[in-house]
Amino acid sequence: LEPLKLGTLAVTQDVSAEELEFTESFLNEFHEIVTKLSLERNIVIQGVQVINFCQRYSFIRDNEIAVFNIFYNGKSQFTKCEPLKNACSPGTLIHDVSVLLTEGMSA
C-alpha cells in the first residue's frame, strides 16, 4: 500500500544477476561493465530490480549491503545514481559502490 500513499505505482520485475538479459543494449553493456568492476573489488551483485527508467542494483560484500538506484532517460543516457540509504548497511561498501557506478556510468 505504500506506493499508493505516494501517488505512484511502479511496475517492477525482479531479476537474478546471473540471468540478466535486458531488452536495451545500453543496459546490457552497462551491466557487463558493472559486473566486471564489482568482481575486481570482491563485490557481488545480489540482484537487479527493473523499474521504468531505473535499475535498482543490490550489492553485497562480507556483511555489508548497498542498494542503489541508477536512473537513465529516454535517450539511453544514464543521468544519476543514488543509494537507498534505508536499505544500506553501515560501512564502506556504499562509498565503494558509488565510485564503481560512477566509473561504469562514464565508460
Side-chain angles (χ1 to χ4, degrees):
L1 294 175
E2 193 63 32
L4 295 176
K5 290 180 185 177
L6 300 174
T8 60
L9 183 61
V11 178
T12 63
Q13 175 186 5
D14 285 321
V15 180
S16 164
E18 294 81 33
E19 301 172 7
L20 285 177
E21 183 68 34
F22 301 105
T23 56
E24 301 284 337
S25 62
F26 81 100
L27 294 175
N28 285 318
E29 292 169 13
F30 176 76
H31 182 72
E32 288 178 26
I33 293 168
V34 170
T35 300
K36 178 181 178 273
L37 293 172
S38 296
L39 289 173
E40 291 172 359
R41 293 168 174 79
N42 295 319
I43 298 172
V44 175
I45 298 172
Q46 183 177 27
V48 179
Q49 190 176 31
V50 180
I51 308 170
N52 290 337
F53 296 103
C54 177
Q55 305 286 86
R56 180 170 291 164
Y57 274 74
S58 300
F59 300 90
I60 58 173
R61 181 179 63 200
D62 299 328
N63 294 326
E64 294 180 77
I65 299 170
V67 180
F68 275 75
N69 281 339
I70 301 140
F71 298 93
Y72 56 91
N73 60 26
K75 297 178 183 178
S76 302
Q77 299 168 325
F78 293 102
T79 56
K80 66 179 179 173
C81 63
E82 56 189 27
L84 272 73
K85 300 248 186 215
N86 59 348
C88 298
S89 60
T92 60
L93 184 59
I94 294 173
H95 175 268
D96 294 346
V97 170
S98 180
V99 170
L100 177 149
L101 292 174
T102 303
E103 290 177 22
M105 291 172 67
S106 64

